[in-house]
Amino acid sequence: MYIPIVFIISQLLLLSVNCCEELSESKLDYLEELVNSNFEKSRTYKQPIDNSEFFKNGGSFDTIHDYGTYDFIVVGAGSAGSIVASRLSEVEKWKILLLEAGNYDDDLTDIPYIYRVLQLSARNWGYFTVPQKNGLFGFKNHQSPYIMGKVLGGTGTVNGIAYLRGNRGDYDKWASLGNPGWSFDDILPYFKKMENFQSNNIDLKYRGFGGPLNVAYKEPKEDLSRLKSLTTNLGIKYIEDYNAKDQIGFSRSQKNIQCGKRVSGATAYVRPSMQRHNFNVTLKSLVTKIIIDKSTKTAKGVEFVRNGKKYRAFAKKEVVISGGAINSPQILMLSGIGPEDELKKHSIPVVKVSPVGKYLKDHYSFKVYYRSNETIPLKSFRELLKEYIQGRGMLTNLDNTLTYTFINTKNKSSSVPNLEFVLLGTTPVPNVIPQLSNYIEKIDQFNSKINEQTDYAIEVYILHPKSVGTIKLKSNDPKDFPLIDTAIFEAPEDLQLLYESTEILSEFEKTDFAKALNFTRLDFEFCNQHERDSKPYWYCAIQHLADPTYHMSSTVKMGPQQDPFAVVDNKLRVYGVKNLRVADCSVMPSTISGHNNAPAFLIGEKAADLIKADHGIPVETGICC
Ligand SMILES: Cc1cc2nc3c(=O)[nH]c(=O)nc-3n(C[C@H](O)[C@H](O)[C@H](O)COP(=O)(O)OP(=O)(O)OC[C@H]3O[C@@H](n4cnc5c(N)ncnc54)[C@H](O)[C@@H]3O)c2cc1C
Ligand SMILES: *[C@@H]1O[C@H](CO)[C@@H](O)[C@H](O)[C@H]1NC(C)=O
Ligand SMILES: *[C@@H]1O[C@H](CO)[C@@H](O)[C@H](O)[C@H]1NC(C)=O
Ligand SMILES: *[C@@H]1O[C@H](CO)[C@@H](O)[C@H](O)[C@H]1NC(C)=O
Ligand SMILES: *[C@@H]1O[C@H](CO)[C@@H](O)[C@H](O)[C@H]1NC(C)=O
């Protein structure tokens, strides 16, 4: 077998570089205090109900301050925007402005396990869905939180750091929908370029090393033969690397993690490049509008508010919107790009009629819990933090994700899954982390029965739901949050498919793994008016518990001009407005069989090369366009 010499050298470097920190009492004291004080703050944290924080302190907005002229302005330092901006800043002669609504990521956001506490802090925008008709029955007013990061690194700084590219077939579908350049073979070089996959068993045809973004298997690793007993009698095969050739099967989870710490667009891209003289990263700034020349329909810059003052910045070449799948459509509509009725309703002058916000996609998921007859001993937070500093232990992990299983229940010969099952193990972490929730009382009662020391869970995701939601404006005031309608189970097939997934769950319950642990499924007693395990029982449970997974996408859909939902072309250029692109999950033409952070990174990498190529900067041969 031929192994490139660079690969061997990089692996040697990996082994020899001890990137983890020295353990010291003062470091430990500092982290313990940081964690405790943030838990305390979160317990009394009040979610914002709008964007008024940006408009405070100021007097009149009559004065508009000049923030200068740049070659490119990138709006939003999330998973995609972080990459777009820092890759563009590689071109020394270009001046780049990156505007982000949130503040810096920090030592707290670095700790993977405690990510839920970030939702009860200013790092979360504070969105909720509008009331739902066909689901979210377990949530007050049928509204679930809709978490999105407001911080350097965006949602990638508050997420579960699971790294899943999705399936070859997903990207081939993007291309077949009329988006040349986005087939799996076209985009694979970008996945390879961004990755540094830490593994001693790496298929170089598919995986990358030496890139900015660290990917590693979860630690501590479970005993593989025990995990394999999970699917004996099920005929599901073990896959070493679900991000390589095959995805169908079960495998261990890969994370964006380095020495136990979170890896994000902020840590891997923006922070290492923000010292460049041509790269201005301005935080705590809410972009309210794209400045567009009405006569030539050309983007000229943006308006934003920061600490109660209004600013204007200009872009000589292009404006790139990377505000994520909720805010990018909001910014476009506030700027006059959107559905005609929507703009008229809010008295926004029309620049370009466009189906912005009309095609919101997400994944939906629900969890079942199994009581085992093993009890994992608790550890103190200090003990856990000690391990974390050394790059190991449960805090380097999330919810103790043991395995991912991908299956296609409709077509056994398909290589593209329709369902994902995530097995979550017991955890030694004390149950003291404050969590944002909006459950009705009987669901809170159910949740209070769950014991993390003894209970396993399986979370089921529907990967390609048929339901289509929307993003609309509440008003023409950028102070207002947009209206998010996830439209869960609007398509009855989605609910039916999740119901059918319980057949697979009952198969899992018969495996050696489940037997060895004496698994007993916790009763959803809030559905006990129905016969246990009957179809009405499961429908009831799923309609109460299933919620969107914050994998929002497709609200600024990429597609050919004749696609009734397309807002941008295959180079991410907004139809009908010059010098304006969108680069984030909102451009995804269809859902992927995974989670959305990896495609967000991919879109960022690809967008940067598309822009460079259009402005005469040579990009790596064979990669771009
Ligand atoms: C709790 C949670 C857990 C998740 N877990 C996983 C996981 O384990 N694996 C996975 O693959 N995916 C996960 N996801 C999803 C994934 O993180 C997102 O799909 C991905 O980060 C989206 O990237 P993006 O670039 O499209 O948008 P974002 O990362 O959301 O970036 C948008 C950025 O723009 C900024 N912004 C928006 N509007 C403005 C404005 N008007 N002015 C200035 N700045 C603005 C925002 O503050 C934000 O920083 C999770 C999401 C959540 C919420
Ligand atoms: C960014 O530009 C603004 C406006 O010119 C300036 O005030 C600010 O100091 C710059 N910030 C950085 C980090 O260069
Ligand atoms: C099942 O998948 C195979 C392989 O992708 C495909 O050829 C076949 O048409 C699919 N069958 C159905 C019923 O969709
Ligand atoms: C298995 O679980 C059941 C409850 O569901 C319990 O009655 C039984 O004692 C358990 N058996 C063992 C060996 O732990
Ligand atoms: C758990 O239950 C299984 C099956 O009933 C049994 O074989 C096993 O010994 C039990 N383990 C413990 C720790 O009680």
Side-chain angles (χ1 to χ4, degrees):
M1 195 175 84
Y2 168 73
I3 301 173
I5 187 81
V6 262
F7 175 63
I8 294 168
I9 292 169
S10 81
Q11 292 296 300
L12 288 174
L13 279 173
L14 264 179
L15 291 177
S16 63
V17 175
N18 180 5
C19 53
C20 300
E21 285 177 64
E22 289 286 330
L23 177 64
S24 72
E25 286 297 306
S26 60
K27 178 88 199 171
L28 195 50
D29 290 344
Y30 162 74
L31 281 182
E32 198 180 20
E33 157 62 20
L34 182 76
V35 165
N36 285 334
S37 62
N38 275 280
F39 286 1
E40 212 42 55
K41 263 191 253 164
S42 292
R43 282 197 189 94
T44 53
Y45 179 73
K46 267 190 104 77
Q47 301 277 333
I49 51 163
D50 61 24
N51 288 319
S52 47
E53 58 166 301
F54 295 94
F55 296 83
K56 280 187 189 142
N57 309 327
S60 106
F61 279 92
D62 296 346
T63 329
I64 302 186
H65 303 267
D66 179 20
Y67 210 74
T69 301
Y70 305 80
D71 291 286
F72 293 90
I73 298 175
V74 179
V75 176
S79 298
S82 291
I83 300 187
V84 175
S86 48
R87 287 290 186 199
L88 291 180
S89 76
E90 290 169 350
V91 182
E92 280 175 44
K93 64 179 181 189
W94 286 349
K95 261 178 86 179
I96 314 298
L97 174 64
L98 174 59
L99 289 168
E100 165 57 46
N103 206 341
Y104 283 109
D105 58 333
D106 54 48
D107 292 336
L108 190 77
T109 59
D110 277 351
I111 311 173
Y113 193 91
I114 52 134
Y115 75 116
R116 285 214 174 82
V117 82
L118 308 174
Q119 302 171 7
L120 280 167
S121 81
R123 303 170 190 91
N124 173 16
W125 281 80
Y127 294 150
F128 282 82
T129 64
V130 300
Q132 296 294 296
K133 290 192 200 75
N134 304 301
L136 301 186
F137 295 169
F139 293 79
K140 285 179 196 146
N141 205 23
H142 300 186
Q143 293 182 283
S144 78
Y146 215 53
I147 314 297
M148 181 182 144
K150 182 167 66 178
V151 57
L152 191 66
T155 308
T157 295
V158 304
N159 78 355
I161 58 169
Y163 184 77
L164 304 101
R165 289 173 170 179
N167 191 282
R168 167 186 280 275
D170 302 331
Y171 297 97
D172 288 345
K173 183 173 174 190
W174 288 13
S176 76
L177 291 171
N179 302 293
W182 293 88
S183 73
F184 184 75
D185 287 336
D186 289 320
I187 53 105
L188 179 58
Y190 287 104
F191 274 133
K192 291 170 78 168
K193 179 185 179 183
M194 71 193 184
E195 282 175 1
N196 184 44
F197 184 36
Q198 272 186 300
S199 164
N200 48 21
N201 189 0
I202 164 170
D203 182 346
L204 289 172
K205 185 158 177 253
Y206 292 95
R207 302 306 303 265
F209 62 91
L213 200 74
N214 220 68
V215 180
Y217 284 101
K218 157 202 176 288
E219 296 285 352
K221 277 205 180 86
E222 315 301 315
D223 171 15
L224 192 57
S225 60
R226 186 171 173 219
L227 286 184
K228 282 184 175 167
S229 68
L230 178 66
T231 52
T232 43
N233 31 347
L234 277 184
I236 298 171
K237 66 176 176 183
Y238 169 70
I239 305 270
E240 167 83 9
D241 178 3
Y242 57 88
N243 284 316
K245 189 165 179 288
D246 296 312
Q247 190 190 8
I248 299 275
F250 85 96
S251 30
R252 287 176 160 148
S253 102
Q254 297 170 24
K255 307 275 182 192
N256 286 122
I257 199 165
Q258 186 158 30
C259 277
K261 289 189 174 148
R262 175 187 296 280
V263 170
S264 67
T267 65
Y269 287 85
V270 178
R271 283 181 175 276
S273 57
M274 65 190 286
Q275 280 73 26
R276 289 177 186 148
H277 72 278
N278 64 333
F279 191 15
N280 185 316
V281 181
T282 295
L283 302 176
K284 295 164 90 170
S285 303
L286 180 78
V287 171
T288 52
K289 198 181 179 172
I290 305 157
I291 302 167
I292 300 171
D293 181 319
K294 300 268 174 337
S295 57
T296 59
K297 307 232 177 205
T298 306
K300 294 286 181 187
V302 298
E303 286 181 8
F304 63 98
V305 284
R306 185 171 201 274
N307 197 20
K309 287 193 183 128
K310 192 167 181 177
Y311 295 87
R312 199 173 269 170
F314 291 96
K316 283 187 280 190
K317 295 193 168 64
E318 294 195 37
V319 173
V320 183
I321 306 295
S322 300
I326 301 171
N327 290 26
S328 287
Q330 182 195 23
I331 297 167
L332 291 179
M333 288 189 276
L334 288 172
S335 312
I337 304 163
E340 194 164 20
D341 51 347
E342 185 70 5
L343 300 178
K344 287 235 168 88
K345 185 164 135 200
H346 300 298
S347 317
I348 299 169
V350 177
V351 172
K352 164 75 185 160
V353 173
S354 173
V356 173
K358 287 195 162 209
Y359 197 75
L360 172 65
K361 300 295 286 191
D362 202 331
H363 298 129
Y364 309 123
S365 78
F366 79 105
K367 259 190 218 165
V368 292
Y369 298 87
Y370 296 98
R371 175 108 345 136
S372 77
N373 62 0
E374 274 181 3
T375 306
I376 191 169
L378 285 183
K379 290 183 175 176
S380 71
F381 246 97
R382 194 171 174 86
E383 184 62 31
L384 290 160
L385 285 167
K386 202 180 211 171
E387 295 173 352
Y388 165 73
I389 293 172
Q390 299 166 86
R392 59 192 180 85
M394 196 56 79
L395 296 189
T396 69
N397 189 18
L398 280 115
D399 303 334
N400 199 11
T401 321
L402 299 179
T403 57
Y404 298 132
T405 303
F406 293 98
I407 305 179
N408 190 321
T409 52
K410 297 276 181 200
N411 184 347
K412 297 274 181 279
S413 56
S414 172
S415 56
V416 182
N418 64 347
L419 291 170
E420 174 186 345
F421 297 80
V422 182
L423 177 70
L424 306 162
T426 53
T427 127
V429 183
N431 188 7
V432 293
I433 306 176
Q435 289 196 20
L436 171 61
S437 79
N438 194 39
Y439 291 118
I440 58 175
E441 206 181 315
K442 56 186 179 180
I443 305 296
D444 276 335
Q445 268 164 20
F446 170 77
N447 285 336
S448 69
K449 283 197 321 197
I450 299 161
N451 178 345
E452 285 80 359
Q453 287 176 265
T454 55
D455 297 352
Y456 285 69
I458 295 182
E459 183 166 17
V460 190
Y461 289 74
I462 173 168
L463 294 170
H464 305 288
K466 301 276 185 295
S467 303
V468 178
T470 56
I471 301 290
K472 289 181 178 169
L473 294 178
K474 190 173 172 192
S475 78
N476 61 11
D477 189 345
K479 208 183 280 178
D480 280 332
F481 283 174
L483 302 174
I484 303 161
D485 183 358
T486 183
I488 189 168
F489 304 141
E490 195 174 273
E493 303 96 292
D494 296 346
L495 180 57
Q496 174 66 18
L497 181 56
L498 279 182
Y499 163 64
E500 287 168 18
S501 78
T502 64
E503 277 171 39
I504 310 277
L505 291 178
S506 64
E507 294 295 314
F508 276 128
E509 290 161 20
K510 294 178 205 142
T511 60
D512 293 348
F513 185 88
K515 279 191 203 140
L517 288 164
N518 197 33
F519 266 14
T520 318
R521 180 156 36 83
L522 298 192
D523 230 350
F524 294 127
E525 68 265 307
F526 50 88
C527 293
N528 274 354
Q529 69 274 29
H530 306 290
E531 186 195 336
R532 193 174 195 262
D533 290 359
S534 64
K535 184 170 171 176
Y537 173 89
W538 278 117
Y539 264 59
C540 165
I542 295 166
Q543 283 184 299
H544 275 76
L545 293 179
D547 60 353
T549 60
Y550 320 131
H551 296 167
M552 42 289 221
S553 71
S554 311
T555 50
V556 183
K557 191 174 184 267
M558 166 166 69
Q561 210 141 12
Q562 65 273 20
D563 176 342
F565 292 107
V567 179
V568 298
D569 70 6
N570 68 323
K571 290 184 168 185
L572 310 183
R573 297 173 298 199
V574 174
Y575 284 119
V577 182
K578 293 188 201 81
N579 298 353
L580 180 63
R581 290 191 218 229
V582 177
D584 56 36
C585 285
S586 60
V587 305
M588 290 168 62
S590 53
T591 44
I592 62 137
S593 317
H595 301 199
N596 279 6
N597 210 28
F601 290 138
L602 164 80
I603 290 163
E605 285 283 9
K606 171 105 183 167
D609 262 12
L610 288 170
I611 294 168
K612 284 178 178 175
D614 276 358
H615 293 273
I617 303 295
V619 292
E620 282 165 63
T621 337
I623 289 196
C624 186
C625 319

